[in-house]
Amino acid sequence: MEPNLFVQKNPKEPIVNKEKIYSLFLGIGFTILIACIGIGLSKIPKLGYIGPFACAILVSVLYRQIFGYPEHIRIGIQFSSKYFLRLAIVLYGLKLNMNVIFNQGFMIMIKSMITVLFSFFVLMLIAKLIKADLNLSLLLSIGTGICGAAAIAALSPIMKAKEEDTAMGIGIIALVGTIFSIIYPILFPFLHLSTAEYGTWAGLSLHEIANVALAAAPAGENALAFALLSKLSRVFLLIPVSFLFILWMNKKGIKKDTEVKFTFPWFLVGFILMSFLGSFFISELIEIKELKTPIDFLTTFLLTMAMTGLGLNINTKELRMKAIRPFIAILITSLFLSIFTFFCF
């Protein structure tokens, strides 16, 4: 159970607990520091491939193994990992331009739906065959099919996933996505694809928006445009997939006859509202570089802060035992997905 700053456990306690307030702000400050380090490390050429999220998780894991979990600032760390994560997902909605998707027709959406279903069933099948952890594999299947770390971060509260599973999932998918986004441009000259075909292939098969951009940019602006369009159609599917998981979790709770009350993910409503706001009302405004750059940076920074809290929950011994098989499962699934989308789409 998370600490609540606003509930008095003892009637004799003061209404405002100074120690908890101090822990809150100190913990938030700690996550800001780790986020800065993570973003700084991601600017280093070779580390830049895995991105700031994975870098922040790596720093957090190392910190815990050397110094232990900073219990005295736990409240602030948990606040960052929970509330800043949700705020970042809400802001992430501005990246989804529904106008572009609707104007380009629904064929790309059908391809994206097939991609999501393929990723889900293939990864879960492989995970079952090699006896990988199913909860972590489920998170990875969602990230592989939709939009990488952002999808895992958005769905994990709905699924009530453990924070260490969420952190491990984000770290694994960042690594695998980076590997494939480096391989794609190397293969491009030998594939005999047009720039539009190559861009569509990258957008339908790679995990993160950053992976897609990294792989498509070397092939030119036309390839990048098609890649981002294909990727955005997969990001759009985060909305219906999230609601499907809400229904599934409710049904699961009823079957188990549990008394645990399901909490509706209101941040998902914020994500949808931001998507519509950005697409139909302020689309031209947020494309202005002076506004777009700070919004993108804030979204990335908040998510990186949240990764700090998630990374601190990882136990390296458990990581070695628990993550290796899901890693193998997503690696095989990503290879199959690349082959499937290449020949079928």
Side-chain angles (χ1 to χ4, degrees), residues 281-297:
F281 298 102
I282 58 171
S283 56
E284 293 182 4
L285 187 62
I286 61 174
E287 286 301 318
I288 299 172
K289 187 177 180 181
E290 287 75 11
L291 287 175
K292 183 176 176 60
T293 302
I295 292 172
D296 287 346
F297 177 80

Side-chain angles (χ1 to χ4, degrees), residues 74-121:
R74 176 182 285 273
I75 292 174
I77 292 170
Q78 290 185 341
F79 184 92
S80 293
S81 64
K82 181 178 180 181
Y83 294 105
F84 288 154
L85 176 63
R86 286 156 172 72
L87 178 58
I89 295 299
V90 170
L91 290 175
Y92 196 84
L94 291 172
K95 293 179 180 287
L96 178 59
N97 192 331
M98 293 184 177
N99 268 317
V100 175
I101 297 170
F102 294 152
N103 291 337
Q104 294 295 326
F106 287 94
M107 184 54 67
I108 191 70
M109 188 65 65
I110 293 171
K111 291 179 180 179
S112 295
M113 289 172 65
I114 294 171
T115 297
V116 172
L117 290 172
F118 180 91
S119 302
F120 177 82
F121 285 110

Side-chain angles (χ1 to χ4, degrees), residues 14-266:
I15 295 175
V16 178
N17 191 312
K18 292 183 180 179
E19 287 185 8
K20 288 184 178 181
I21 297 294
Y22 177 76
S23 175
L24 173 68
F25 285 103
L26 201 60
I28 292 173
F30 179 80
T31 61
I32 290 173
L33 175 62
I34 300 297
C36 290
I37 294 172
I39 291 173
L41 288 173
S42 70
K43 301 298 180 183
I44 298 172
K46 291 186 178 180
L47 283 176
Y49 286 124
I50 65 172
F53 306 151
C55 286
I57 288 174
L58 179 61
V59 172
S60 301
V61 170
L62 289 174
Y63 182 94
R64 173 173 174 172
Q65 305 320 307
I66 297 171
F67 302 106
Y69 193 98
E71 291 289 346
H72 62 292
I73 56 172
R74 176 182 285 273
I75 292 174
I77 292 170
Q78 290 185 341
F79 184 92
S80 293
S81 64
K82 181 178 180 181
Y83 294 105
F84 288 154
L85 176 63
R86 286 156 172 72
L87 178 58
I89 295 299
V90 170
L91 290 175
Y92 196 84
L94 291 172
K95 293 179 180 287
L96 178 59
N97 192 331
M98 293 184 177
N99 268 317
V100 175
I101 297 170
F102 294 152
N103 291 337
Q104 294 295 326
F106 287 94
M107 184 54 67
I108 191 70
M109 188 65 65
I110 293 171
K111 291 179 180 179
S112 295
M113 289 172 65
I114 294 171
T115 297
V116 172
L117 290 172
F118 180 91
S119 302
F120 177 82
F121 285 110
V122 170
L123 199 150
M124 293 307 294
L125 177 62
I126 294 171
K128 193 171 182 180
L129 289 173
I130 65 175
K131 297 180 179 179
D133 182 87
L134 292 181
N135 290 327
L136 180 54
S137 298
L138 182 57
L139 288 174
L140 289 172
S141 70
I142 294 164
T144 303
I146 303 177
C147 54
I152 293 175
L155 269 294
S156 57
I158 296 172
M159 295 165 53
K160 299 191 180 298
K162 295 179 181 178
E163 288 192 346
E164 58 264 33
D165 287 350
T166 304
M168 279 190 273
I170 289 170
I172 290 170
I173 207 162
L175 177 59
V176 174
T178 299
I179 293 169
F180 278 80
S181 63
I182 294 171
I183 293 173
Y184 272 41
I186 296 172
L187 293 177
F188 175 57
F190 307 100
L191 296 177
H192 306 293
L193 295 174
S194 67
T195 54
E197 290 171 335
Y198 173 73
T200 302
W201 177 50
L204 287 173
S205 58
L206 291 174
H207 310 90
E208 304 269 0
I209 291 178
N211 296 151
V212 171
L214 180 64
E221 290 186 6
N222 192 47
L224 183 59
F226 275 90
L228 292 176
L229 171 62
S230 301
K231 186 61 186 174
L232 283 176
S233 66
R234 291 167 67 192
V235 176
F236 176 81
L237 291 176
L238 180 61
I239 298 169
V241 168
S242 295
F243 281 108
L244 284 174
F245 269 92
I246 290 171
L247 292 173
W248 178 64
M249 288 298 294
N250 275 327
K251 190 174 181 181
K252 186 179 176 183
I254 292 170
K255 281 185 177 180
K256 288 186 177 180
D257 196 26
T258 178
E259 293 182 1
V260 177
K261 189 177 180 180
F262 180 79
T263 304
F264 185 83
W266 291 106

